[in-house]
Amino acid sequence: MTRLDDFFRRPAQPLTDPRLRHWKKRLEQRDTRATVEVSRPDLSLGLGGDAELHVHFVKDGRELPIESTPWDDELNAGLIDLEVPAVDADQEADRFALGLRAALRKPSRDFGDGYFNSVLTDFLKNVDRSEYPAMSEALVYSSANAPSRDGLRGSESYRVCREMIADAITGRAHELRDRLRYPEDKARNILDHALARYLDERFSLTSRRQLGLL
């Protein structure tokens, strides 16, 4: 029987999810690698809906049974830390669109959806859009009012929200280049499509297009 004091003697785990610990041990085995795939119901309706995460293991050139779990932001972040890429660039863009959704949840919650949308679109309009054509196309239809910067409080809110957005996107860029080791041009292309798909979900672009509203 476990006693309460036993929890003070048990070592804390650096990987908090037991699934990540299990996958890490598998990846430490000789000639073993893994890739990730994301699935969602009816992608034609946009990025909404419950996603699933599928981890593909290959050992000694032989494909092993896929391990599937409902999408979890921490699991995905842990797999990135374990340097597990997606199966291809398109899947990586889907994965990082969901990663952006997780990373941008806090400023959206802290400042409210309307103000966050205003600062987000204002921020992205000042990015060199020649390097991000997919994001630029989605941004055309992602409409929001100009963010208020009136007074000291308004100016400070704008600055903090904008920095949180920049930090979230920067973090995903470094994950692609430094953790998953994509060449920078390929990482930029993945980030471009991830941002476009995030905007698609955020502003319901696919749904509005299907309804003839765009």
Side-chain angles (χ1 to χ4, degrees):
M1 178 183 294
T2 301
R3 298 174 59 249
L4 202 55
D5 283 355
D6 293 340
F7 295 108
F8 292 96
R9 311 290 177 259
R10 181 179 178 179
Q13 297 292 338
L15 293 173
T16 56
D17 194 299
R19 288 166 292 187
L20 287 172
R21 298 198 292 270
H22 170 64
W23 293 336
K24 182 175 185 293
K25 286 181 180 178
R26 294 187 66 177
L27 287 168
E28 289 170 347
Q29 296 174 8
R30 189 174 179 178
D31 295 323
T32 301
R33 60 184 178 84
T35 53
V36 167
E37 188 174 8
V38 178
S39 65
R40 280 168 292 180
D42 198 356
L43 290 181
S44 67
L45 297 178
L47 290 178
D50 296 328
E52 287 192 344
L53 193 63
H54 310 283
V55 186
H56 300 252
F57 280 94
V58 175
K59 181 173 175 59
D60 299 323
R62 182 169 59 91
E63 293 187 11
L64 302 178
I66 298 170
E67 296 198 25
S68 299
T69 181
W71 174 270
D72 182 272
D73 295 324
E74 290 186 9
L75 274 184
N76 179 56
L79 285 164
I80 291 172
D81 284 341
L82 293 175
E83 302 180 5
V84 177
V87 294
D88 57 37
D90 188 62
Q91 278 284 306
E92 203 71 272
D94 265 353
R95 179 193 193 185
F96 270 78
L98 291 168
L100 283 165
R101 185 176 71 181
L104 291 168
R105 190 172 289 128
K106 187 178 190 313
S108 176
R109 183 185 65 236
D110 288 357
F111 293 95
D113 285 338
Y115 188 76
F116 169 77
N117 288 346
S118 296
V119 180
L120 174 67
T121 54
D122 181 73
F123 175 81
L124 293 177
K125 285 175 182 175
N126 286 284
V127 170
D128 183 354
R129 285 180 276 170
S130 66
E131 296 184 335
Y132 296 89
M135 181 273 288
S136 181
E137 183 179 354
L139 190 60
V140 170
Y141 303 102
S142 305
S143 57
N145 294 326
S148 173
R149 307 186 209 180
D150 294 339
L152 184 60
R153 183 174 179 179
S155 176
E156 180 67 4
S157 294
Y158 176 81
R159 182 189 67 79
V160 173
C161 187
R162 186 183 175 91
E163 285 188 18
M164 291 172 77
I165 291 168
D167 289 347
I169 298 173
T170 300
R172 308 296 72 72
H174 281 276
E175 286 176 344
L176 285 163
R177 189 191 64 186
D178 303 336
R179 302 301 298 174
L180 300 178
R181 306 183 190 283
Y182 286 106
E184 192 159 314
D185 58 341
K186 188 170 185 178
R188 185 185 304 112
N189 183 262
I190 292 170
L191 184 61
D192 175 31
H193 284 85
L195 283 163
R197 294 175 196 189
Y198 173 76
L199 290 172
D200 189 305
E201 177 184 23
R202 185 83 197 170
F203 293 94
S204 305
L205 303 186
T206 296
S207 298
R208 289 161 58 199
R209 192 173 290 114
Q210 289 177 337
L211 293 171
L213 300 177
L214 290 182

